[in-house]
Amino acid sequence: MSEAVEDEIEAINSIYGENTLYKRSDGAAFDGHVLTIPSREVALRLLIPKQYPDVCIDIIAVEGVGSTVPKGYGNHVLITARDVLSKVFIPGQVCLFDLLQELEQRLGQETSAQGEECLGNEDPEARVHHEVETTREADVPNRVTFIPEWILSTMVTEKKSGFLARACAIKSTTEVEAAIAHLLTSDKRAGKATHNISAYRIRTVVNGNEVVYQDCDDDGEDAAGGRLLKLLQMMDVWNVLVVVSRWYGGVKLGPARFGIINAMARQAVIAGRFAKDWSSHHG
């Protein structure tokens, strides 16, 4: 297996959890990889050819489903995954993360559509919970008066590139903008970083309804912001902003950089006790 594939698998497992994608090594008749779809209780069998990413992977079967999964849903996920793969695979480029991310989004849209169909049959006055994902809310004054209290990860260096994550509590997108602006103007080291990747999630109440704001910024580190936001979603953290600074050292790290970025972000989130299960991460 190439180093690029190993890096991609490491990045996926650092974001979605250990053994989300792993190699079967139990001597079974099937000799390949198993990909577990997060929050779906469905696992798929993959064959990753030695020529990958020049040659596409093969999704060959359903490995298993959870006890609560409806009959036939595993096969539906298999068919959907194959369709997604046909759209995201580009010869010469790794695609496992894109496959998983797009598959999750497609399945989530199906679930949302089913939920909306059910809501359509309810009494409108009974719909008291609304979630809205957007990038901005109404602008308010006093932006510059917000001074964040950052929780820092340890500094990590990999092949001359440095990585450092910061996390802080926020209550509005205005505070997000103010926190990032304050960081870049008050911390010369952060201001000189090659990339400052950021992601945030906010949950608040507007006119009696729950509203959700979440967004991310790659800051030139292609696709890193989306992966960082996915980490916050997987950790189920709210009202937090995470910024991961990278100082490029001249050596490309490939997909491994995503694993480092998310590992540093996870460390800062846990250190700040933003995660519900922060204590379990401390052993």
Side-chain angles (χ1 to χ4, degrees), residues 2 39 49 51 63 89 100 108 151 173 187 206 222 279:
S2 70
S39 305
Q51 299 88 347
E63 166 73 8
F89 175 69
L100 186 54
I151 303 297
T173 56
D187 190 313
V206 177
D222 190 32
S279 58

